[in-house]
């Protein structure tokens, strides 16, 4: 395992021990006081790159914390790990594969040898194929079985074959090309298919069956149901090729489904599902926003890739965000991390980052199979502001858990209404400010007295009004959500996740835990439909099967 310094027990490294000591010294650290004492704190803990501005000054850190965290990154060999990942070494050790999403963003003419083959010509060949398809659909040259142009594209896919494309095509709605509407069909729940097809006409609809493995149950069931719907609407088997295309690395299975070979867009085993929006899995994005905007997205991500590889760790956004996550998760006991976009178009970023982070860092053994001795990935949750302020922010402010948060906010709205955007921005800032400042007992009491409340009442109510404060957050600001900046933002989080996996010595690119549920699902299904007579492995599952069988109609 030469590609980076794993296996390692990170807890035995000198930097980890120094951080353990430092954590004790930081027990009474007050952000309020730190800001009062150091007028340069904001400048000291902010940086810009790739069209993004990061303020991480509202964290439980000082310059020494940063230095110790950077030492940790150095001691685990992060620099070499980044190089290994970019160079195509098998950083996904349990599957013996590289993880080369960065190759998908590299410019034409670059060379990257993987197992003796330069993969870059293949990457750009597929981009050209996408360009061709997008052009034909946008120009009305790709026709359905009644010779009408395509008006609706349905992406059938789940997980990474859905969340990234959905996030980006919705976030960049302002860049949407006229004439083609994109839809997503992910869940096996028939209601989703029912509601969607009710809005569509088969003769003008193109389905993209988007599945790296072409073996995912939900996707294959939906693709089969969509084909049945298309035939029932008047389409024929002979014209199926006009309405069904695929993105997959499993050519044989896609052909067996009935998709013509020339309509299968390849992807490679060296791209993980949750890192795949930059590949042909991004086809619905390119159809939604046009090819030149899709290339801008790639180029924004490439800029962040360069920053991640070349900037010093002290000035490196993904590295700092990753290290801050380690600081809170491993040294302050934080178990979750909130992602709070203040932008309606970014409302799906939390869902995408949930898969990206939790499927990547939800691990408990190291690359060498030895159990980790630390906590690993946090629960990622959150949602759009201001809505969250009127729902779950209460727990952020006064709950017993420490939950670090990322606020993401653009300066310019695509849809200005009166002074709404100023209020949105102000709310975003006031939330991170309230988390940091809190409200002391003295302040709470003074407020109540100022309202003329009797002293007895002041003493009764004041404890409820105390807000601990000192709660950490990052704020990520950009001018507005353009393809380029969004590319940089998503790539930044991809790299952050990688940084953490390198610290913990885990593999960010496999997901074996997901497989068990899939395997057991087959057994449960056969007992539900009666094709398996033996009882389920446990009485609870069998009881619930019986409950279903006794009541299910239809
Ligand atoms: O079930 C989880 C998962 O394996 C994800 O990692 C992946 O993004 C998703 O399924 C979809 O996989 P596929 O593209 O092969 O259908």
């Amino acid at each position: 395992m030469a590609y980076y310094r794993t296996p390692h027990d990170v807890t035995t490294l000198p930097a980890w021990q120094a951080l353990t000591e430092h954590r004790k010294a930081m027990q009474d650290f007050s952000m309020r006081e730190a800001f009062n004492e150091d007028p340069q704190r904001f400048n000291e803990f902010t940086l810009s790159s790739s069209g993004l501005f990061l303020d991480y000054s509202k964290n439980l850190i000082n310059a020494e914390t940063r230095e110790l965290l950077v030492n940790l990154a150095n001691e685990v060999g992060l620099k070499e790990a980044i190089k290994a990942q970019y160079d195509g070494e098998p950083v996904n050790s349990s599957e013996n594969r590289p993880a080369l999403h960065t190759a998908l963003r590299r410019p034409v003419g670059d060379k990257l040898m993987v197992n003796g083959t330069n993969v870059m010509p293949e990457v750009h060949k597929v981009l050209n194929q996408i360009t061709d398809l997008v052009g034909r659909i946008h120009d009305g040259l790709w026709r359905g079985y009644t010779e009408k142009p395509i008006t609706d594209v349905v992406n059938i896919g789940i997980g990474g074959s859905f969340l990234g494309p959905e996030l980006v095509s919705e976030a960049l709605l302002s860049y949407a090309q006229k004439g083609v509407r994109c839809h997503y069909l992910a869940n096996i729940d028939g209601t989703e298919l029912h509601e969607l097809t009710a809005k569509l006409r088969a003769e003008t609809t193109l389905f993209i069956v988007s599945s790296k493995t072409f073996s995912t149950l939900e996707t294959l069931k939906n693709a089969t149901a969509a084909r049945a719907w298309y035939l029932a609407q008047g389409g024929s088997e002979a014209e199926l090729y006009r309405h069904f295309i695929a993105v997959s690395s499993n050519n044989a299975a896609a052909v067996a489904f009935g998709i013509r070979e020339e309509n299968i867009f390849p992807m490679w085993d060296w791209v993980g599902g949750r890192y795949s929006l930059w590949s042909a899995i991004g086809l619905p994005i390119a159809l939604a926003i046009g090819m030149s905007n899709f290339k801008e997205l790639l180029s924004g991500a490439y800029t962040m890739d360069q920053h991640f590889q070349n900037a010093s760790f002290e000035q490196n956004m993904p590295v700092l965000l990753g290290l801050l996550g380690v600081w809170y998760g491993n040294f302050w006991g934080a178990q979750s991390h909130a992602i709070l976009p203040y932008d309606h178009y970014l409302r799906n970023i939390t869902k995408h980052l949930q898969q990206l982070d939790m499927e990547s860092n939800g691990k408990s053994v190291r690359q060498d199979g030895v159990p980790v001795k630390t906590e690993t990935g946090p629960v990622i949750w959150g949602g759009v502001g201001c809505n969250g302020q009127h729902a779950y922010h209460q727990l952020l402010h006064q709950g017993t858990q420490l939950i670090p948060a990322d606020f993401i906010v653009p300066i310019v709205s695509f849809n200005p209404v009166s002074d709404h955007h100023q209020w949105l921005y102000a709310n975003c800032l006031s939330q991170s400010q309230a988390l940091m400042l809190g409200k002391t007992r003295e302040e709470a009491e003074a407020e109540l007295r100022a309202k003329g409340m009797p002293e007895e009442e002041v003493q009764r109510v004041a404890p409820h009004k105390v807000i601990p404060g000192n709660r950490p957050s990052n704020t990520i600001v950009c001018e507005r959500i353009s393809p380029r900046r969004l590319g940089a933002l998503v790539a930044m989080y991809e790299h952050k996740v990688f940084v953490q996996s390198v610290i913990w010595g885990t593999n960010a690119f496999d997901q074996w835990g997901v497989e068990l549920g899939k395997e057991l699902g087959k057994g449960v299904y056969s007992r539900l439909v009666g094709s398996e007579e033996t009882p389920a492995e446990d009485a609870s599952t069998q009881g619930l099967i019986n409950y279903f069988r006794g009541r299910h109609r239809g």
Side-chain angles (χ1 to χ4, degrees):
M1 223 172 284
Y3 52 87
Y4 57 86
R5 289 182 215 152
T6 55
H8 56 243
D9 174 2
V10 67
T11 62
T12 62
L13 297 177
W16 189 277
Q17 320 227 317
L19 280 161
T20 308
E21 286 308 308
H22 179 65
R23 164 66 182 87
K24 291 179 201 153
M26 291 291 281
Q27 181 59 29
D28 296 323
F29 178 81
S30 154
M31 278 190 257
R32 258 194 201 218
E33 283 169 24
F35 273 102
N36 288 341
E37 283 162 15
D38 179 6
Q40 290 307 312
R41 185 172 171 86
F42 176 74
N43 293 334
E44 174 73 21
F45 296 108
T46 49
L47 73 150
S48 298
S49 172
S50 318
L52 308 178
F53 178 78
L54 168 66
D55 170 18
Y56 65 105
S57 61
K58 292 191 189 93
N59 274 293
L60 297 166
I61 58 168
N62 56 24
E64 187 187 354
T65 323
R66 183 173 55 195
E67 194 187 317
L68 294 176
L69 288 167
V70 166
N71 289 348
L72 181 66
N74 287 324
E75 284 179 17
V76 298
L78 180 60
K79 197 84 192 157
E80 295 94 312
I82 297 170
K83 183 167 171 9
Q85 192 213 306
Y86 280 39
D87 287 353
E89 291 194 43
V91 293
N92 176 355
S93 59
S94 72
E95 297 179 290
N96 203 24
R97 287 176 190 162
L100 273 175
H101 38 288
T102 49
L104 302 168
R105 283 100 75 141
R106 284 171 70 157
V108 72
D110 261 19
K111 190 173 168 192
L112 177 61
M113 301 302 288
V114 177
N115 299 329
T117 310
N118 180 9
V119 298
M120 292 314 300
E122 184 65 13
V123 166
H124 284 278
K125 190 173 137 204
V126 175
L127 273 176
N128 290 340
Q129 257 180 286
I130 300 175
T131 307
D132 178 59
L133 177 83
V134 170
R136 281 196 284 156
I137 292 181
H138 285 172
D139 294 345
L141 302 174
W142 183 294
R143 306 256 161 162
Y145 64 87
T146 56
E147 293 301 334
K148 289 189 183 144
I150 297 299
T151 56
D152 293 87
V153 173
V154 178
N155 186 79
I156 305 179
I158 198 163
S161 301
F162 157 53
L163 294 164
E166 183 201 41
L167 157 68
V168 176
S169 59
E170 292 194 1
L172 298 176
L173 199 66
S174 307
Y175 297 80
Q177 303 293 302
K178 296 210 167 35
V180 183
R181 291 175 293 266
C182 285
H183 313 271
Y184 292 90
L185 178 58
N187 204 345
I188 202 165
D189 186 333
T191 302
E192 205 173 314
L193 178 93
H194 172 80
E195 292 292 334
L196 178 59
T197 50
K199 296 189 279 194
L200 301 172
R201 296 169 66 86
E203 57 176 344
T204 53
T205 298
L206 175 72
F207 291 96
I208 307 172
V209 186
S210 198
S211 176
K212 178 178 166 183
T213 56
F214 221 87
S215 66
T216 302
L217 175 80
E218 296 86 342
T219 301
L220 295 189
K221 294 296 280 180
N222 275 331
T224 304
R227 184 168 60 187
W229 173 80
Y230 153 84
L231 293 171
Q233 296 293 304
S236 69
E237 288 285 359
E239 306 289 347
L240 194 84
Y241 72 96
R242 297 181 185 227
H243 295 273
F244 283 84
I245 65 173
V247 180
S248 188
S249 61
N250 186 349
N251 224 44
V255 169
F257 178 84
I259 293 176
R260 281 192 179 175
E261 196 135 13
E262 70 264 26
N263 289 337
I264 302 171
F265 290 74
M267 64 180 295
W268 308 274
D269 67 0
W270 43 260
V271 182
R274 51 195 177 270
Y275 299 87
S276 67
L277 71 92
W278 325 95
S279 71
I281 292 287
L283 198 49
I285 303 175
L287 283 164
I289 64 175
M291 205 56 204
S292 59
N293 285 323
F294 186 66
K295 286 188 176 163
E296 282 284 290
L297 179 84
L298 297 181
S299 137
Y302 178 69
T303 314
M304 181 54 73
D305 296 340
Q306 298 289 100
H307 166 76
F308 180 49
Q309 190 170 31
N310 300 323
S312 71
F313 289 167
E314 292 82 359
Q315 291 293 321
N316 194 313
M317 278 190 195
V319 171
L320 291 168
L321 291 177
L323 290 172
L324 284 167
V326 168
W327 178 231
Y328 294 119
N330 296 127
F331 296 92
W332 290 82
Q335 296 198 333
S336 80
H337 186 103
I339 302 288
L340 309 172
Y342 275 65
D343 183 275
H344 182 70
Y345 285 142
L346 279 184
R347 65 195 177 281
N348 283 318
I349 197 166
T350 310
K351 279 201 298 176
H352 176 64
L353 296 186
Q354 260 174 347
Q355 189 202 10
L356 176 66
D357 203 318
M358 294 170 79
E359 214 167 63
S360 298
N361 281 338
K363 306 290 162 61
S364 45
V365 295
R366 303 182 328 210
Q367 292 265 17
D368 60 353
V370 172
V372 290
K373 294 219 175 73
T374 58
E375 301 296 321
T376 58
V379 174
I380 302 292
W381 64 281
V384 77
C386 306
N387 298 10
Q389 292 173 208
H390 303 276
Y392 41 76
H393 281 217
Q394 165 62 29
L395 187 141
L396 294 177
H397 292 294
Q398 280 188 309
T400 51
Q401 298 181 37
L402 176 88
I403 302 179
D406 288 358
F407 291 88
I408 308 171
V409 64
I411 292 172
V412 180
S413 166
F414 282 101
N415 306 294
V417 175
S418 159
D419 58 356
H420 286 210
H421 195 69
Q422 285 84 338
W423 274 113
L424 186 70
Y425 194 85
N427 267 281
C428 176
L429 266 51
S430 63
Q431 284 300 303
S432 64
Q433 189 181 37
L435 284 169
M436 190 260 285
L437 291 179
K439 190 181 285 181
T440 62
R441 174 77 187 229
E442 296 69 41
E443 286 165 347
E445 286 182 10
E447 240 176 45
L448 296 173
R449 283 187 201 109
K451 285 184 185 154
M453 198 176 262
E455 191 55 30
E456 200 183 322
E457 197 59 1
V458 167
Q459 294 307 320
R460 193 182 69 77
V461 175
H464 301 277
K465 297 254 183 178
V466 172
I467 298 170
N470 225 19
R471 303 221 159 161
S473 66
N474 301 302
T475 305
I476 299 151
V477 187
C478 69
E479 192 221 356
R480 62 179 177 175
I481 307 296
S482 66
R484 193 171 266 274
R485 296 188 195 103
L486 183 63
L489 181 69
V490 176
M492 179 187 78
Y493 277 108
E494 291 178 349
H495 296 317
K496 171 200 163 176
V497 163
F498 180 64
V499 168
Q500 298 186 332
S501 73
V502 175
I503 303 279
W504 296 318
T506 52
N507 181 353
F509 303 110
D510 61 6
Q511 59 284 319
W512 295 105
V514 179
E515 299 306 319
L516 177 61
K518 289 186 193 171
E519 280 159 31
L520 294 177
K522 291 177 201 148
V524 173
Y525 174 81
S526 28
R527 290 179 176 94
L528 274 186
V529 298
S531 61
E532 173 64 61
E533 296 298 332
T534 62
E537 290 78 358
D538 66 283
S540 164
T541 307
Q542 187 58 46
L544 292 166
I545 290 171
N546 297 343
Y547 195 81
F548 179 91
R549 291 191 65 172
R551 289 164 182 79
H552 181 66
R553 309 274 170 269

